[in-house]
Amino acid sequence: MFAEGCARDSSAGHRPEELPENAGAAEESKGDKEDPLMEVYVASRESIPAWYPRGQSPAILENGIAIVPEKPVPAIGNDGNSECAGMGYEAFLRFIRKSARTLADRGFNNVQLRDSGDFVWDTEASFAFSQGFRTLNKKQCLEFTPRVSADEEFQTLLKIVKWVRDTIDLPGNILNPDSYMKELLLLRDLAGGRFSVRKISGEELASKGYEGIVTVGKGSSIPPCLYVLDYAPSGNDAPVFASLVGKGITFDTGGYSLKPSSYMKSMHSDMGGSATVAGALALLAATGFPGRVKAYLACAENMISGSAMRIGDIIHYRNGVSAVVDNTDAEGRLVLADALITAGEDGGYILDAATLTGAAKTALGREYHAVLALEDFMAETFLKAARETHEYAWRLPLEEFHLDLVKSGLADITNSVNDEPGATTAAAFLARFVKDPAKWAHIDLSASYQKTPASGYGLGARGHGIRSIARFVKDLWQIR
């Protein structure tokens, strides 16, 4: 795949001793002149000149940029794919992503991957490179090898992941509950028009009893809504195999439990759960999954105004559960509750995904998504799916007795509990709205967004979790 606008400049690279720390960046200051197109390949230590200093990953040589791991690179199989050897393949993919980030940080914006005698680029390594190479507000071009470029499923994955990352990174003045429709229609097109998109808002939202979404969104001048994505390859009469639920808070001030500015800065990304499950559904649709899958995106802005929700407000949900608002900044679970009730009416498996708690990030950092479920089978199936797709997930505790932690004297439950495990109590709140807990998993998206460049990612959305969720649904289908 050759990105539009990429300059096919065959200019030679630099020797390490000639490479400034911001190499390539100087090209940007030369007006209309394009950055040179640099070829990147993976090489073993034995394949590069002896003068290359050890401990430095990218070797900028006259024939391109060699990415050189300290340990032996994975062997090349007969099919051209990489096999685990030397360093573990997971560690190798991390190394590739971090090397791509290094090149992007040094200003190499036009890159072409090529095979070498030591390594043939496969789709996983190519995907890892693309993830690390991406830089917000930069014009970049990345060309893959002909064999990888010819893989249609890989190209589809790239497009959908790009949509997810780009959508999460849209600022709040561009993406809001109403304008989200435009982005979802673009996603539908990427999936070949294979799913429908419906918006429930205004009087319809209120009349159907979506009290949680209405309550959270009433502080904003932009009305809240629920988007329903429906992928039904065998018709709308087919049973729903899986329902995906996503938190779509397009901007979160915290409400009257106001966030400090430093925490609010990245809150345009608080709709990451909705984009992630939408992307997973699109990936299933684009790859021809045989079962029916629906996604529910609960969207609102959590703002402050004379009509905003207050501390102490009580929400009465359609399933008969009442919830008191003890913290207006714990709004995600309030909107997810409505969507979970509706998803339960579908009768299939349910997975919800949300950038829900800081507690999950405190526990796991920004590498792993947190997985919580009342049924071991559901948690273990998701963890397996994450491993299969080279993504990171870790289980946090959720047991039946944890549901007692969210009980309240003012209502059935509270949306905020002090001095208790925050990720677990958030999941315990959601469990009260799940019709069949044995068929439900909750994903707290700790690794959804990168506030500062780290771990081989630049600033912004990661797109992490889309592949895990799609594989999770596929694995459930196989063992149904």
Side-chain angles (χ1 to χ4, degrees):
M1 183 180 72
F2 186 71
E4 184 179 355
C6 197
R8 288 185 177 273
D9 189 333
S10 58
S11 301
H14 304 269
R15 294 172 69 92
E17 60 267 28
E18 299 172 341
L19 180 71
E21 192 61 31
N22 63 344
E27 296 291 335
E28 297 179 9
S29 64
K30 295 181 180 179
D32 296 332
K33 184 177 180 180
E34 294 281 359
D35 294 335
L37 178 66
M38 302 297 294
E39 292 190 339
V40 176
Y41 60 95
V42 178
S44 66
R45 291 243 158 238
E46 293 74 21
S47 300
I48 63 169
W51 46 257
Y52 178 72
R54 295 186 65 84
Q56 296 184 22
S57 166
I60 291 71
L61 306 172
E62 292 183 359
N63 66 339
I65 300 175
I67 299 179
V68 189
E70 288 288 338
K71 297 180 181 179
V73 302
I76 303 170
N78 294 329
D79 60 354
N81 290 316
S82 303
E83 300 173 346
C84 294
M87 64 194 306
Y89 196 55
E90 291 295 337
F92 176 73
L93 293 178
R94 286 178 61 84
F95 164 75
I96 289 292
R97 191 174 67 240
K98 293 178 75 172
S99 297
R101 182 73 252 140
T102 297
L103 292 176
D105 287 342
R106 291 188 177 185
F108 291 99
N109 296 317
N110 294 344
V111 166
Q112 178 180 7
L113 305 183
R114 70 171 170 85
D115 297 330
S116 69
D118 293 316
F119 181 77
V120 171
W121 287 94
D122 60 12
T123 54
E124 286 299 336
S126 299
F127 181 74
F129 191 97
S130 73
Q131 291 293 90
F133 188 65
R134 175 185 186 262
T135 306
L136 282 175
N137 298 318
K138 279 277 191 178
K139 182 181 177 182
Q140 294 177 294
C141 300
L142 173 58
E143 183 179 359
F144 302 96
T145 64
R147 186 175 64 84
V148 171
S149 294
D151 189 319
E152 293 184 4
E153 191 166 313
F154 173 72
Q155 295 294 346
T156 298
L157 172 66
L158 285 180
K159 292 174 184 177
I160 291 174
V161 171
K162 182 180 186 302
W163 178 91
V164 172
R165 299 180 83 176
D166 289 349
T167 303
I168 293 174
D169 284 331
L170 288 174
N173 65 324
I174 295 177
L175 185 73
N176 59 54
D178 183 60
S179 66
Y180 208 154
M181 173 62 88
K182 177 183 175 182
E183 306 305 325
L184 292 171
L185 293 178
L186 290 175
L187 178 64
R188 184 189 64 183
D189 292 344
L190 292 178
R194 295 187 178 97
F195 63 86
S196 62
V197 182
R198 179 175 176 239
K199 179 169 71 171
I200 302 173
S201 60
E203 287 299 321
E204 184 183 10
L205 191 71
S207 65
K208 290 188 174 181
Y210 290 101
E211 291 298 322
I213 299 175
V214 169
T215 298
V216 171
K218 66 183 182 179
S220 172
S221 61
I222 300 171
C225 63
L226 176 71
Y227 286 99
V228 182
L229 281 53
D230 191 354
Y231 167 64
S234 55
N236 293 334
D237 294 331
V240 177
F241 177 73
S243 299
L244 310 176
V245 173
K247 173 185 171 184
I249 303 298
T250 59
F251 195 81
D252 181 19
T253 66
Y256 281 108
S257 303
L258 188 65
K259 295 177 183 289
S261 296
S262 59
Y263 285 21
M264 208 184 298
K265 186 176 180 180
S266 62
M267 283 300 102
H268 63 282
S269 70
D270 209 20
M271 40 63 65
S274 64
T276 299
V277 299
L281 181 142
L283 190 57
L284 289 166
T287 54
F289 180 68
R292 186 179 181 186
V293 181
K294 297 181 79 172
Y296 299 93
L297 317 183
C299 299
E301 283 189 328
N302 187 19
M303 306 292 279
I304 294 175
S305 72
S307 58
M309 65 176 168
R310 298 161 290 253
I311 304 292
D313 285 359
I314 295 178
I315 303 171
H316 296 274
Y317 287 94
R318 304 190 318 281
N319 68 343
V321 175
S322 61
V324 60
V325 179
D326 281 324
N327 187 331
T328 63
D329 196 22
E331 84 297 332
R333 64 204 72 181
L334 299 177
V335 300
L336 287 171
D338 274 330
L340 285 169
I341 294 170
T342 302
E345 296 167 356
D346 293 336
Y349 290 100
I350 298 176
L351 177 142
D352 75 79
T355 50
L356 204 59
T357 69
K361 297 181 184 68
T362 299
L364 302 179
R366 293 184 181 270
E367 290 296 313
Y368 286 79
H369 285 324
V371 182
L372 298 99
L374 289 167
E375 176 64 41
D376 289 343
F377 165 74
M378 293 295 285
E380 290 165 1
T381 301
F382 188 87
L383 293 172
K384 175 176 175 289
R387 290 192 298 270
E388 290 171 342
T389 54
H390 308 289
E391 294 188 329
Y392 295 91
W394 195 266
R395 189 177 184 183
L396 292 181
L398 179 64
E399 304 287 351
E400 287 284 348
F401 64 81
H402 285 129
L403 274 59
D404 292 336
L405 296 178
V406 296
K407 287 184 176 179
S408 170
L410 298 174
D412 294 327
I413 56 177
T414 172
N415 78 327
S416 181
V417 182
N418 294 325
D419 301 322
E420 295 291 352
T424 295
T425 56
F429 181 98
L430 297 178
R432 294 295 302 270
F433 302 92
V434 177
K435 187 173 182 179
D436 185 358
K439 299 172 70 175
W440 165 67
H442 163 62
I443 313 300
D444 200 324
L445 298 177
S446 319
S448 170
Y449 188 83
Q450 195 71 44
K451 294 180 73 173
T452 56
S455 305
Y457 288 94
L459 169 68
R462 286 185 168 200
H464 183 60
I466 306 160
R467 301 176 77 194
S468 298
I469 294 172
R471 180 62 68 87
F472 172 71
V473 174
K474 290 180 178 179
D475 288 350
L476 287 174
W477 180 265
Q478 293 297 323
I479 59 181
R480 69 191 188 282

